[in-house]
Amino acid sequence: MTTVFNDPTQFAQEMLSGFCRLHADTVQPVTGGCVRATDTPEGKVAVVIGGGSGHYPAFAGWVGPGMADGAVVGNVFASPSAQQVHAVAKAAQRGGGVFLSYGNYAGDVLNFDLAQERLNAEGIPTRTVVVADDITSASAEERHKRRGTTGDLVVFKIAGAAAEAGYDLDGVVEVAQRANDATYSFAVAFAGCTLPGDPDPLFTVPKGRMGVGMGVHGEPGIAEEDVLPAADLARMLVEKVLTERPDGARRAAVLVNGLGGTKYEEMFVLWNDIAPLLEDAGVQIVAPEVGELITSLDMAGVSLTLFWLDEELEKLWVAPAQTPAFRRGSAITTTRRDPAAIEDATTVTYPESTTESQASARALLAIGQRVAAALHEHETELGKLDSIAGDGDHGRGMTSGADAALKALTEAVEARAGAASALAAAGDAWGDRAGGTSGALWGAGLRAAAGELTDDSAVTGAQVRAAVRAALEHILSYGKAERGDKTLLDALIPFTEALEQDEGELAQAWAAAAQVATTEADATADLTPRIGRARPLAERSIGHPDPGAISLALVMRTAAR
């Protein structure tokens, strides 16, 4: 059980603060995570890694010479927001472009992709390799669907060493992708993990049994089997991971990882059985690692990873690294970077705007005030609806997003920002604070809508219709859902179509479209979810409307008033 904490909701922030305080000679805290405190040369590719908290030493523990330039740190088991990724990347970048890497989970993919798009638009070349090494989460034919687990360390180490050696951005991407393609992991667990403040673990395993095929977010395995003696467990792990051995592969880095609740002594016993089995299979072991490499809070369990090497990958794997949690080779001479030289991407400045656009920004603020109040009024209702087939946090997420957006709108209006800048700030704030995929989509949609407005003139009805269409198209491009999948799109698509078809006065057209959205949102009760968190419990949701569609219709009706 996770027992050492103050306010559970502040666990990730306080953990990061304590980590940076302890390792002040190596890392410096920035908005969204941390970056190297040591100097790096101009023109170097910045390697930025990240994900949720609860996985130490991933991800902040790997910031330093020879590995990452920055780490983005989300809440426990939750993706960091696009704003966090953007802020850390801006603080870490040195002019050579940004390389992003993280485990293959839907929320992380969405938020890191949004940040990459924004960085590229700002003239900072940014590329990504998504880690996908867990062999139990998808077949070899669908490798792109596999989860990222201990393979994170492999890909991050290779990318970091390449960047440190002076590779350009394309070169870093190439070797990192090659490392990802050559990495295979398999895990078992003996007990589940417990989130800070929760009385019970996320899953349990009967006494004498173990979960087989684990991820690192507290999810149950794909099967259960009897607990095995170390020699038999070693044989199971080795046989599973060797099933996808590439033709002719002989040399491999080997990683035995503890998931948080398994002692080092136990892992040493296991390694004593694993190493001979690999050697008997003709594997030449190179620079093995045994210990807690990527954890899942206090989950008791272990994983085995094989990283098949070629000459270049082996050179990068054994290259020096100097981070709080991973050190290899001789000490790397460093000098401390001037903290004042690290860019603060959260400093908000607004371009010049006209009085007409400022008036439109004030109108947006008035709408934001009503929307936040309406969502608070319906928070409990939305949460209960979400709990039928989800985790019950939709109401809280929507109110958090709306409150943050309202604060950003207020600050923008006080700074005499125009409508486009005010709405963009609101979108960033919503995506940063709402959490989850829904929050990311709302933030992305609002920012895309802002791109159709201007700070030079009052907002017109044509601009509003274009802004709504832009928001829809952006959400479609990132959300991977379609109409009929039982998501917010089942309200947003008909709303957009109705608004575009009605060429009359904007207020009346918006009100009519909001009623269409409400009708369509209610009709999602008859749908079966085909994507998102509700999909595994699809039968439970039948007869109940989708909370994302209901909340979107509520926002549209409130804006109409």
Side-chain angles (χ1 to χ4, degrees):
M1 176 177 289
T2 305
T3 55
V4 180
F5 55 87
N6 295 307
D7 180 351
T9 65
Q10 298 300 309
F11 180 82
Q13 293 87 338
E14 292 182 355
M15 175 279 300
L16 179 63
S17 177
F19 169 80
C20 292
R21 187 184 298 270
L22 177 63
H23 296 289
D25 59 330
T26 306
V27 298
Q28 176 175 333
V30 296
T31 299
C34 61
V35 297
R36 290 190 195 182
T38 53
D39 205 5
T40 53
E42 288 287 345
K44 176 188 175 297
V45 173
V47 174
V48 176
I49 62 177
S53 300
H55 303 303
Y56 190 82
F59 297 90
W62 296 333
V63 173
M67 287 192 72
D69 295 271
V72 193
V73 182
N75 286 325
V76 178
F77 294 172
S79 166
S81 70
Q83 285 65 42
Q84 288 180 284
V85 180
H86 176 263
V88 173
K90 288 290 290 283
Q93 68 94 18
R94 300 289 281 160
V98 174
F99 171 81
L100 300 175
S101 195
Y102 50 90
N104 189 22
Y105 299 91
D108 295 277
V109 172
L110 174 59
N111 282 295
F112 275 85
D113 278 357
L114 288 169
Q116 175 175 313
E117 179 184 78
R118 185 171 170 186
L119 290 163
N120 280 318
E122 294 172 356
I124 302 173
T126 305
R127 303 274 298 280
T128 295
V129 170
V130 182
V131 182
D133 60 301
D134 171 38
I135 65 174
T136 63
S137 52
S139 66
E141 291 72 31
E142 293 187 306
R143 275 202 65 135
H144 64 283
K145 294 183 179 180
R146 288 180 170 176
R147 297 176 293 204
T149 57
T150 314
D152 283 0
L153 174 59
V154 169
V155 175
F156 302 164
K157 173 63 175 72
I158 295 302
E164 207 73 38
Y167 285 47
D168 64 13
L169 184 56
D170 287 341
V172 172
V173 170
E174 193 278 329
V175 292
Q177 186 60 59
R178 189 144 40 96
N180 189 41
D181 294 341
T183 304
Y184 305 84
S185 298
F186 180 81
V188 299
F190 314 112
C193 57
T194 306
L195 296 175
D198 285 3
D200 301 309
L202 290 175
F203 72 93
T204 59
V205 181
K207 186 176 181 180
R209 303 278 284 176
M210 61 182 182
V212 176
M214 314 302 299
V216 291
H217 289 96
E219 62 270 66
I222 60 172
E224 286 183 2
E225 297 187 16
D226 290 338
V227 172
L228 300 171
D232 294 330
L233 177 58
R235 187 170 293 105
M236 169 199 274
L237 294 170
V238 169
E239 289 176 353
K240 292 284 189 182
V241 177
L242 285 179
T243 56
E244 296 189 26
R245 181 176 187 172
D247 292 340
R250 295 184 59 83
R251 296 176 69 78
V254 184
L255 299 84
V256 173
N257 174 53
L259 289 168
T262 300
K263 304 296 292 183
Y264 272 71
E265 288 88 343
E266 297 174 272
M267 287 184 274
F268 297 152
V269 170
L270 187 61
W271 176 248
N272 195 48
D273 291 313
I274 285 175
L277 291 171
L278 290 172
E279 291 164 353
D280 290 344
V283 179
Q284 299 172 3
I285 299 172
V286 178
E289 295 287 338
V290 177
E292 290 187 347
L293 308 175
I294 179 168
T295 59
S296 184
L297 287 174
D298 58 334
M299 184 189 295
V302 293
S303 66
L304 174 65
T305 299
L306 291 188
F307 166 37
W308 298 99
L309 300 166
D310 59 30
E311 184 176 349
E312 183 180 22
L313 292 177
E314 181 172 337
K315 180 179 179 181
L316 295 170
W317 176 245
V318 300
Q322 191 167 301
T323 77
F326 188 92
R327 292 177 179 262
R328 175 165 292 164
S330 57
I332 301 173
T333 302
T334 59
T335 57
R336 186 167 181 82
R337 187 177 178 186
D338 179 5
I342 297 176
E343 181 177 357
D344 183 359
T346 63
T347 301
V348 180
T349 58
Y350 302 102
E352 292 291 328
S353 62
T354 63
T355 56
E356 293 81 5
S357 188
Q358 291 170 20
S360 292
R362 290 194 295 274
L364 284 172
L365 173 59
I367 291 172
Q369 291 168 335
R370 293 196 295 272
V371 165
L375 287 170
H376 275 282
E377 181 182 348
H378 293 272
E379 178 179 352
T380 301
E381 168 194 332
L382 292 171
K384 288 180 178 178
L385 189 58
D386 185 41
S387 67
I388 293 169
D391 55 12
D393 67 348
H394 184 69
R396 183 171 63 252
M398 290 295 291
T399 55
S400 296
D403 288 346
L406 177 58
K407 182 174 184 291
L409 282 169
T410 302
E411 293 172 350
V413 166
E414 291 175 349
R416 296 181 180 175
S421 295
L423 188 58
D428 287 347
W430 191 307
D432 191 34
R433 298 303 302 165
T437 302
S438 177
L441 293 176
W442 268 92
L446 290 172
R447 179 166 258 281
E452 298 297 324
L453 308 184
T454 175
D455 291 330
D456 297 332
S457 61
V459 175
T460 66
Q463 287 176 333
V464 169
R465 289 174 171 88
V468 172
R469 169 57 65 176
L472 171 60
E473 295 299 333
H474 208 61
I475 290 173
L476 283 169
S477 69
Y478 279 103
K480 300 181 181 179
E482 301 174 353
R483 191 170 184 173
D485 285 341
K486 199 164 188 175
T487 71
L488 62 82
L489 289 173
D490 291 304
L492 181 56
I493 291 174
F495 174 84
T496 304
E497 292 173 347
L499 186 64
E500 290 175 333
Q501 291 164 7
D502 188 337
E503 298 180 357
E505 198 273 330
L506 178 64
Q508 282 70 37
W510 186 287
Q515 287 306 312
V516 172
T518 300
T519 300
E520 294 295 327
D522 291 338
T524 61
D526 299 327
L527 299 177
T528 300
R530 297 182 298 203
I531 197 169
R533 286 188 177 182
R535 182 180 58 82
L537 299 173
E539 292 184 2
R540 292 188 188 179
S541 78
I542 297 175
H544 303 278
D546 177 69
I550 292 294
S551 62
L552 187 137
L554 171 64
V555 170
M556 298 311 180
R557 290 197 309 275
T558 304
R561 288 196 295 272

